[in-house]
Structure formats: structure tokens, C-alpha cells
Amino acid sequence: MKDLLSQVAFLGFGGMVVISALLVVFLKNLLHAAVALFFCLSGVAALYVMLGADFVGLAQLMIYAGGILVLIIFGVFLTAKIYTVKYDFSGAPLHWVPGIGIGAALFGVMMMVISKTEWPLKTPTSGPTVRGLAELFLTKYLLPFELISLLLLFAMIGAVSLVRKELKE
Amino acid sequence: MVGLKAYLMIGAVLFAAGLTCILIRRNIIHILMGVELVLNAAALNFVAFAYFTPAKEPALALSGHVVALFVIALAAAEAAVALALVLAVFRLYQTVNVDSVRELKG
């Protein structure tokens, strides 16, 4: 019963992720694509929780779906011309053939690699991960942890300085 | 039982979809959405391997989660800077079509 439930949940959330990822690629309206990206990111957060990554799943929901996506929608609104609602400049679908061909070829190669490799497996266990993550962040991954806070500071300063309007004297 | 290969296949779909989005779209913000898809695919792979694959030492079993958190933080920083660049480009060129931003070409 638990097995069936986990398979149904995986099919549901996995299907949501796959379908909304394809919608992000092929929808013409940019706002519709942003909404599809929201469903994709939320589905990935659900998949994280199913993989025992409770903290990462919640961080994904808060930061990715609730921060980055909102930023993207801000960008869509700030760069839209109000009098023409034309977002899509990609041209005729004929121009898409090389791009879709490359994407499909890469997907085929990855599927072959995934299905043919003998992955080393263990019996998966899950539990609360916050304590384990805290120990890892403060012992083994301390330098990347500090560096990423520096990186976030630089990104903030850079982003503000890029859009700052100069004061005209 | 849902195995490792199923999660890796979802990661492969996300990666190929994101790459296709980057290749065929001409609106900068749509391309940025493709980049987010690619990053999500990589992070999902890391977490799937952390769940299903044995680690070198038991203390390092959550390394995949650590990498996924770094990926999320990096994606946030990159999205902020990228959207600032998009705004600067829009202010200068009045368009977000990548084909029109070609002053450096030739």
C-alpha cells in the first residue's frame, strides 16, 4: 500500500514537472511560460521531499518558487511594451528545428547512459536532515559556505549598480 | 519501488528542455527560464544520488543536499544579476530581443 502510494505520488509530481517543463519551452506567451515554470519548480520541491530532502525541498519552495520566479515575473512586466503585447520573437517554427534536434539528441544520449549504467545502490533511509546539514556546513563545507555569502553580497552590489540611474547635476 | 533511474530520467527531461529553451527562444527572459530549468535538473540529480547511492563516509551522506542548496543560492544570485542586465539592456535598446543587441558583432 505504501509502495503504491509512493509510485502514484512519483507519477503525479514527476508528470507535473515534465509537462510543465515542456510547456515552459513551447508556450508563446511569456507570462504563461512563467506560470508553467512555477508548477515545474514546485513539482521539483515535492520530488525533493520524496527523496528525503526535507530542508532542500522547503528551501526550493521559498527561494526558487517564491523568490526567483517572482523576480522573473517582475522582469517580464518591467520589459514589456505596454502598447504591443508581443513577447515572442523566436520567428517561424522552422527556425526551431536545429534547436529541438540538438535537445532531442542530447536527451536520447542521456537516456541511454542512464538506463545502461550500473549505478551503485544502497537501501535508502530518510529522516530529518537539518542537523546533518548543519554539521556538514560548519565542518566540511565551511569555506564554500562563507564564500557563497560573499558571492551573494557581490551579486547584490552588482545588481544594484547595474540598474542605478545616475543623478544628473 | 521508484528507483534511481526514474529520478535521473526526470532530470534528463528537465535538462534537455532547458537546453532547448535556451537554443530556440529569442526573448532574454525566456532564455533565463531555460537556464533555471537546467540548474534544477542538476540539483535534482545531486539529491537523487544522495538518497540512492552510498557515500564514502557516513558523515558525507548529505553532500548532495549541500550541493543542491549551493545551486539554489547560486541560481538566486545569477537571476538577480541577469535581470539587472536585462533591465539595463532594455533601457538602452528598448527591446529584449537578443537578435537586436548586436553592436559588438563584426
Side-chain angles (χ1 to χ4, degrees), chain A residues 7 24-27 30 41 48 51 60 64 75 81 87-88 90 107 114-115 121-122 124 140-141 163, chain B residues 1 5 7-8 13 17 19 24-25 27 29-30 33 36 40 43 51-52 60 63 70 75 83 91 94:
Chain A
Q7 277 182 345
V24 169
V25 182
F26 290 114
L27 276 177
L30 193 57
L41 297 174
Y48 284 155
L51 285 170
Q60 163 96 358
Y64 238 122
K81 296 191 176 238
Y87 302 118
D88 176 42
S90 37
F107 177 63
I114 290 171
S115 49
L121 293 175
K122 72 168 190 203
K140 181 140 177 71
Y141 293 108
V163 288
Chain B
M1 234 276 288
K5 293 189 179 177
Y7 287 100
L8 293 184
V13 171
L19 181 70
I24 69 180
R25 290 289 175 184
N27 190 325
I29 302 187
H30 219 132
M33 289 201 259
E36 301 300 332
N40 267 290
Y51 188 63
F52 284 108
L60 293 179
S63 297
F70 281 141
L83 283 162
R91 220 178 260 163
Q94 301 306 313

Side-chain angles (χ1 to χ4, degrees), chain A residues 3 6-7 10 14 17-18 21-22 24-30 33-34 37 40-41 44 47-48 50-53 55-56 59-60 63-64 68 71-72 75-76 78-81 87-90 96 99-100 102-104 106-107 110-111 114-117 119-122 124-126 129 132-133 136-137 140-141 144-145 148 151-152 155 158-159 162-165, chain B residues 1-21 23-27 29-30 32-37 39-40 42-45 47-55 59-81 83-88 90-91 93-99:
Chain A
D3 217 16
S6 80
Q7 277 182 345
F10 175 78
V17 168
V18 166
L22 292 174
V24 169
V25 182
F26 290 114
L27 276 177
K28 268 168 78 153
N29 190 335
L30 193 57
L37 185 64
C40 183
L41 297 174
V44 169
L47 286 180
Y48 284 155
M50 281 178 55
L51 285 170
F55 187 77
V56 179
Q60 163 96 358
I63 302 173
Y64 238 122
I68 297 180
L71 201 58
I72 288 178
V76 168
L78 283 173
T79 58
K81 296 191 176 238
Y87 302 118
D88 176 42
F89 314 107
S90 37
W96 290 3
I100 296 183
I102 293 176
L106 182 68
F107 177 63
M110 281 195 287
M111 287 300 244
I114 290 171
S115 49
K116 292 201 173 159
T117 315
W119 304 106
L121 293 175
K122 72 168 190 203
T125 61
S126 57
T129 59
L133 279 174
L136 272 180
F137 266 121
K140 181 140 177 71
Y141 293 108
F145 179 57
I148 207 160
L151 179 135
L152 286 171
L162 274 171
V163 288
R164 198 170 59 108
K165 279 201 174 141
Chain B
M1 234 276 288
V2 187
L4 172 64
K5 293 189 179 177
Y7 287 100
L8 293 184
M9 286 179 189
I10 293 190
V13 171
L14 276 176
F15 191 90
L19 181 70
T20 309
C21 192
L23 285 176
I24 69 180
R25 290 289 175 184
R26 301 287 105 206
N27 190 325
I29 302 187
H30 219 132
L32 178 63
M33 289 201 259
V35 173
E36 301 300 332
L37 281 179
L39 287 168
N40 267 290
L44 180 65
N45 269 18
V47 176
F49 278 123
Y51 188 63
F52 284 108
T53 305
L60 293 179
L62 294 180
S63 297
H65 299 194
V66 170
V67 175
L69 284 171
F70 281 141
V71 164
I72 293 175
L74 279 167
E78 165 251 337
V81 174
L83 283 162
L85 277 172
V86 166
L87 280 181
F90 182 72
R91 220 178 260 163
Y93 291 95
Q94 301 306 313
T95 179
V96 281
N97 187 356
V98 286
D99 285 332

